Amino acid sequence: MTGKNVNMLLKTSIYHFIIAALTIFFLSTSNAMAYEEPEYKLIKSTDVYEIRQYQDRLAVETTQSQSQNGAFRRLFNYISGSNESSSKIAMTVPVIQSKDSNGASMIFFLPKSFTKQSAPLPDGDDVKLITVKGGFYAVTKYSGRSTDQNFIKHSALLFEALRKDNILTIGDPMMATYNGPFTLPFMRRNEAMYRVNWK
């Protein structure tokens, strides 16, 4: 074996070692930093989507203008203590983004230990406490970056699958993001969701 081949083999081995080490690191980090998720009952599962039944969920919401970062920062400030009781609140997933005739919004769910009475009030008008009504939701999962393009593609696939199964959607699709920006794209969990009329 020539010196050139040895160097190439060594570089390949180092590359695979680094990839393996990064994978183990991110997997262990994601397990160690598990966030609370809203509970649901699985009603139906296909190759494309799930039908889930959620209960009412308490959340904080802010309007989203041109900057997603601004909306995220306002909600993150709220759970970090920028509220009337200066309480720090645990982060949960997913972060929900949606658009309708009233504009765009972003939502953080509060931990299930909070009620409308015990949750601290926001200290500004740009964040408000809301109750996300329970009901049936059709959900499709996908990886990759949580871009508008990726979301539009998968929400369209979901809508078409629901149409073929004669399941009526209610309102506009929602984007659910479960991972932070430093998670490798292939390890990310994203979801496109529609509220549906399920009988």
Side-chain angles (χ1 to χ4, degrees), residues 43 51-54 134-138 194-198:
I43 304 299
I51 301 294
R52 302 175 184 171
Q53 183 179 19
Y54 287 96
F136 296 96
Y137 290 80
Y194 271 102
R195 189 179 178 95
V196 295
N197 185 9
W198 184 264

Side-chain angles (χ1 to χ4, degrees), residues 6 11 39 71 83 86 99 149:
V6 170
K11 287 179 180 179
E39 297 176 352
N83 52 66
S86 300
K99 296 179 181 178
Q149 183 178 5

Side-chain angles (χ1 to χ4, degrees), residues 16-105:
H16 287 301
F17 173 79
I18 291 172
I19 292 298
L22 284 172
T23 301
I24 291 171
F25 170 77
F26 281 107
L27 283 174
S28 61
T29 301
S30 62
N31 289 334
M33 297 181 63
Y35 295 108
E36 181 182 311
E37 300 181 24
E39 297 176 352
Y40 62 85
K41 180 180 179 181
L42 182 61
I43 304 299
K44 177 181 178 178
S45 182
T46 74
D47 291 339
V48 179
Y49 64 86
E50 294 178 348
I51 301 294
R52 302 175 184 171
Q53 183 179 19
Y54 287 96
Q55 301 301 315
D56 289 358
R57 292 160 288 169
L58 190 63
V60 282
E61 178 184 46
T62 188
T63 56
Q64 184 175 312
S65 54
Q66 296 181 358
S67 171
Q68 294 181 4
N69 291 336
F72 185 91
R73 191 180 306 113
R74 288 193 293 273
L75 296 178
F76 188 78
N77 287 344
Y78 167 83
I79 66 171
S80 298
S82 183
N83 52 66
E84 289 193 351
S85 61
S86 300
S87 302
K88 293 191 176 181
I89 301 168
M91 181 76 185
T92 68
V93 291
V95 175
I96 300 289
Q97 297 177 69
S98 62
K99 296 179 181 178
D100 57 26
S101 58
N102 297 319
S105 68

Side-chain angles (χ1 to χ4, degrees), residues 64 68 97 99 142-156 174-181 185 188-192:
Q64 184 175 312
Q68 294 181 4
Q97 297 177 69
K99 296 179 181 178
Y142 59 97
S143 60
R145 300 186 183 280
S146 56
T147 60
D148 286 343
Q149 183 178 5
N150 210 6
F151 169 67
I152 290 169
K153 171 186 172 182
H154 288 89
S155 59
M174 293 160 280
M175 183 197 307
T177 306
Y178 286 80
N179 306 104
R188 293 187 185 186
R189 174 186 169 194
N190 307 301
E191 293 176 345

Side-chain angles (χ1 to χ4, degrees), residues 112-182:
K112 63 182 179 182
S113 57
F114 285 97
T115 66
K116 198 73 176 278
Q117 290 71 38
S118 65
L121 294 174
D123 58 6
D125 295 333
D126 51 2
V127 174
K128 60 181 179 179
L129 277 172
I130 64 167
T131 298
V132 178
K133 290 297 182 182
F136 296 96
Y137 290 80
V139 181
T140 189
K141 302 176 185 177
Y142 59 97
S143 60
R145 300 186 183 280
S146 56
T147 60
D148 286 343
Q149 183 178 5
N150 210 6
F151 169 67
I152 290 169
K153 171 186 172 182
H154 288 89
S155 59
L157 292 172
L158 174 59
F159 183 85
E160 182 61 21
L162 294 171
R163 187 189 65 79
K164 287 182 179 178
D165 290 345
N166 296 312
I167 299 174
L168 181 65
T169 60
I170 303 171
D172 297 303
M174 293 160 280
M175 183 197 307
T177 306
Y178 286 80
N179 306 104
F182 299 111

